[in-house]
Amino acid sequence: MARLANFLPNAGFVPLNEYEADIMFVEVASNYGTAIYPGDPVIAVTDGSVARTPAGSNQAASTDGITGVCIDVIQYKDANGVLRRNGANGPIFLPANTVWTAHQERSIIQIVKATDNMRFRVKGVTGVASLTAARALRFKNCEHSFATPDPGLGLSGAQLVIAGAATTAFQWRIVEVIEAPSNDPTLANFSVDVVVNKPYGWPVTGQSTTGV
């Protein structure tokens, strides 16, 4: 019998255990050149705003660390000068090069803090060779990458680069491979639970960034 493709509903990094105290409203700088979708990881910037965390690791938390994950877009000023706010017809992602000047018209997104006690669910880019290989992913580290997002539905293209799983101090650490009929680790787009391995902007509690 042919295997069925994985069709789990999560897009990007989906928080699993956030509390109200873990949620923040933060700005994105005017004319920032990259679109930000719910599910995209973001990193703190020195002006108090956030930017999308680039794909891949340069082994420097200040350039590839994770401060949070976008979970909603609250408002932005569109190209026609209309302030689009969260609601029934509100924004579903923040377009690139959104320009604002007045404080009340700034681009605002909602994020969940990426601290060491926060778990996220994300899809892997590729499957692995066997269930034994899937079990061995636990406590390995991976980087994220960005596939093409869906602007019509506001779906993030953020994903986990499973093929690069290693003990190196990459951006995320796998803590669980989801066991479910709709989640086959030998096929692309299977889901795993991860924790942030390179938090940026938060106190570090001393864990090693090297995987097991």
Side-chain angles (χ1 to χ4, degrees), residues 117-131:
N117 63 343
M118 183 66 64
R119 290 175 62 150
F120 298 88
R121 185 159 295 171
V122 63
K123 291 179 181 177
V125 178
T126 57
V128 294
S130 66
L131 295 179

Side-chain angles (χ1 to χ4, degrees), residues 112-187:
V112 60
K113 297 188 297 185
T115 51
D116 58 359
N117 63 343
M118 183 66 64
R119 290 175 62 150
F120 298 88
R121 185 159 295 171
V122 63
K123 291 179 181 177
V125 178
T126 57
V128 294
S130 66
L131 295 179
T132 299
R135 292 194 300 271
L137 288 174
R138 189 180 290 118
F139 308 125
K140 294 295 190 300
N141 299 332
C142 292
E143 299 173 340
H144 65 256
S145 64
F146 294 99
T148 303
D150 186 329
L153 296 176
L155 298 178
S156 169
Q159 55 191 354
L160 201 67
V161 185
I162 296 294
T167 60
T168 307
F170 289 150
Q171 294 164 316
W172 303 90
R173 181 167 298 183
I174 297 172
V175 294
E176 193 65 72
V177 176
I178 309 305
E179 293 189 17
S182 58
N183 195 52
D184 186 343
T186 67
L187 299 177

Side-chain angles (χ1 to χ4, degrees), residues 17-23 112 117-118:
N17 59 328
E18 74 273 21
Y19 295 95
E20 185 176 356
D22 296 317
I23 295 172
V112 60
N117 63 343
M118 183 66 64

Side-chain angles (χ1 to χ4, degrees), residues 48-139:
S49 68
V50 295
R52 194 178 78 167
T53 301
S57 177
N58 295 312
Q59 304 302 310
S62 61
T63 56
D64 59 20
I66 318 292
T67 300
V69 168
C70 176
I71 57 175
D72 202 358
V73 178
I74 303 304
Q75 73 171 33
Y76 72 89
K77 187 177 181 180
D78 69 18
N80 297 315
V82 176
L83 189 62
R84 299 189 60 188
R85 296 182 184 275
N86 184 269
N89 299 309
I92 53 178
F93 72 98
L94 178 65
N97 302 115
T98 296
V99 176
W100 57 272
T101 301
H103 178 78
Q104 66 271 18
E105 296 176 340
R106 66 199 188 280
S107 299
I108 303 174
I109 65 173
Q110 190 177 46
I111 69 169
V112 60
K113 297 188 297 185
T115 51
D116 58 359
N117 63 343
M118 183 66 64
R119 290 175 62 150
F120 298 88
R121 185 159 295 171
V122 63
K123 291 179 181 177
V125 178
T126 57
V128 294
S130 66
L131 295 179
T132 299
R135 292 194 300 271
L137 288 174
R138 189 180 290 118
F139 308 125

Side-chain angles (χ1 to χ4, degrees), residues 26-29 36 42-45 47-52 67 109 111:
V26 291
E27 291 82 22
V28 176
I36 297 179
V42 296
I43 185 169
V45 181
D47 64 0
S49 68
V50 295
R52 194 178 78 167
T67 300
I109 65 173
I111 69 169

